[in-house]
Amino acid sequence: MTTTYAALLRGINVSGSKRVPMPELRTVLTELGHTGVATYLQSGNAVFRSGSDDEDALAAGLEQALRRRFGFAVDCLVRDAGYLAAVADACPFPAAELEGRQLHVTYFDRPVDAGRFADLAAAEFLPEEFRLGDRCLYLYAPDGLGRSRLAVALGRPRHVKGLTATSRNWNTVVKLVEMTRG
């Protein structure tokens, strides 16, 4: 029996650094023995099927293969189809009423305690808001991520130290759910 997963690569193909062409990412995943491999956009989203049920081991294997192939480290998170759908379904913001660029999900490698962000004065960032979910953070940024003061504050080292985290806009969140369903 196989499970469908999404691999979420952090920090690749941004401003010309850490270039990982999507055809090569598909090749790496196939060489690891995965099937049904597909990629989405150029920002490190891949879908594949595997007989393994260990997301952490799958991520570690992909990280090692990418380091061997490209010569640099790439942090990866691997999440199964059920988790991705649950994150989308649990969105605390009215996603259907918003533009995809206004809503983002940051996926974490482990659960995150609200105390990590306790020093943020939420009222200072309104109308921007965030909510924690299951190994994720939902960010509502009405003017987009590039203009978000809250996104900058949330990304400070004191808030994310020791975590592997990678963000996707809502359009990508929805697309990955669709891709892992089929």
Side-chain angles (χ1 to χ4, degrees):
M1 185 167 125
T2 62
T3 302
T4 303
Y5 294 99
L8 308 170
L9 283 63
R10 181 179 183 277
I12 65 161
N13 301 338
V14 180
S15 302
S17 76
K18 290 192 175 182
R19 287 223 2 99
V20 177
M22 294 301 98
E24 289 189 53
L25 175 57
R26 291 190 296 272
T27 298
V28 167
L29 286 163
T30 301
E31 289 173 351
L32 288 170
H34 305 310
T35 61
V37 176
T39 53
Y40 177 66
L41 301 176
Q42 298 296 314
S43 55
N45 304 292
V47 172
F48 64 93
R49 286 190 298 278
S50 174
S52 173
D53 63 356
D54 187 339
E55 292 175 339
D56 291 337
L58 290 167
L62 179 55
E63 288 174 355
Q64 290 169 0
L66 291 169
R67 181 185 292 274
R68 280 192 306 271
R69 179 123 183 172
F70 297 104
F72 51 80
V74 177
D75 290 331
C76 302
L77 297 177
V78 172
R79 296 292 180 255
D80 70 27
Y83 171 82
L84 295 170
V87 165
D89 291 344
C91 182
F93 299 106
E97 300 170 20
L98 300 173
E99 295 176 38
R101 67 176 187 81
Q102 295 178 307
L103 187 57
H104 292 77
V105 175
T106 299
Y107 298 93
F108 298 115
D109 62 330
R110 62 183 166 275
V112 174
D113 181 86
R116 194 179 271 267
F117 303 101
D119 68 320
L120 292 175
E124 292 179 16
F125 297 98
L126 291 173
E128 297 179 42
E129 297 180 63
F130 79 96
R131 301 280 186 281
L132 290 175
D134 175 17
R135 295 178 291 162
C136 71
L137 179 146
Y138 301 90
L139 172 64
Y140 168 61
D143 294 327
L145 197 62
R147 296 182 181 206
S148 173
R149 291 183 324 116
L150 182 54
V152 171
L154 291 167
R156 289 189 182 123
R158 70 175 172 261
H159 298 127
V160 295
K161 184 178 180 179
L163 295 172
T164 298
T166 187
S167 298
R168 300 296 186 270
N169 71 33
W170 194 251
N171 293 332
T172 299
V173 169
V174 170
K175 185 64 176 181
L176 290 173
V177 170
E178 291 172 3
M179 290 176 71
T180 55
R181 272 196 191 127

